[in-house]
Amino acid sequence: MLPMITGFMNYGHQAVRAARYIGQSFIITLSHTSRLPVTIQYPYQKWIPSERFRGRIHFEFDKCIACEVCVRVCPIDLPTVDWRLEPEIRKKQLLNYSIDFGICIFCGNCVEYCPTNCLSMTEEYELSTYNRHELNYNQIALGRLPISVIGDSLIRTIMTSTQIK
């Protein structure tokens, strides 16, 4: 008879514990109903990335000395640097510089280790295309500065999630 009573007591304790867990989950669910939605209407509302955001790389052709440090520090050897040696001045002359953003992992090593600071990260994150070959940017496309989201009057910018009220 004693094992039967302890079995009923264990069953009662487990039922109370299950009811408590269900009550806690209802409280959490009800607390979420009073919050505002976090969804943004993308083409008309855009997030402003944080200041350390790693977006598309900007390249300044005039500053580059063709040292190829960016290629050596890249984990996937991505930047392509074409240069020729000028014998009369004994310096490298940069001919072509390109990065394929379809393969880039946006680690930022090339920007961090560039000795002349000719590479920088921008806040541009809209790189989608219908053809992946369009993601191969040469020095002309890399030199283009992105259009600022803040300056566009048709787009409502959203700074951080804490400001949504």
Side-chain angles (χ1 to χ4, degrees):
M1 180 110 168
L2 188 61
M4 192 165 96
I5 293 173
T6 57
F8 281 132
M9 287 176 58
N10 285 341
Y11 181 76
H13 288 298
Q14 289 175 354
V16 168
R17 187 182 300 153
R20 188 178 309 139
Y21 287 143
I22 290 173
Q24 287 174 350
S25 64
F26 277 132
I27 290 171
I28 291 171
T29 303
L30 290 175
S31 71
H32 283 277
T33 58
S34 63
R35 294 183 184 178
L36 291 174
V38 189
T39 307
I40 62 170
Q41 304 299 321
Y42 169 64
Y44 308 110
Q45 295 177 342
K46 292 185 182 178
W47 289 102
I48 295 177
S50 64
E51 59 185 69
R52 291 184 55 107
F53 179 77
R54 295 188 298 218
R56 182 182 66 84
I57 295 172
H58 174 70
F59 174 70
E60 295 180 33
F61 188 80
D62 297 336
K63 288 184 177 181
C64 186
I65 58 173
C67 63
E68 296 188 10
V69 170
C70 55
V71 179
R72 283 184 254 138
V73 298
C74 182
I76 52 179
D77 296 333
L78 185 62
T80 305
V81 180
D82 294 331
W83 55 271
R84 73 168 177 232
L85 186 63
E86 290 291 329
E88 53 271 355
I89 58 173
R90 290 192 194 155
K91 285 190 177 180
K92 295 179 184 177
Q93 181 183 10
L94 182 66
L95 300 175
N96 190 11
Y97 189 90
S98 65
I99 296 176
D100 188 1
F101 287 113
I103 302 171
C104 183
I105 58 174
F106 298 95
C107 63
N109 286 343
C110 57
V111 174
E112 186 175 343
Y113 291 104
C114 182
T116 60
N117 293 329
C118 65
L119 296 172
S120 60
M121 291 286 195
T122 63
E123 295 177 351
E124 185 176 355
Y125 56 87
E126 297 172 323
L127 297 174
S128 61
T129 61
Y130 288 107
N131 185 0
R132 76 180 285 172
H133 298 294
E134 293 176 13
L135 292 172
N136 192 1
Y137 283 43
N138 60 2
Q139 71 259 15
I140 296 168
L142 285 170
R144 211 174 17 90
L145 284 172
I147 299 170
S148 177
V149 177
I150 298 172
D152 195 351
S153 62
L154 298 175
I155 298 173
R156 193 175 122 223
T157 56
I158 299 173
M159 296 297 254
T160 59
S161 61
T162 56
Q163 291 180 348
I164 299 175
K165 293 201 168 112

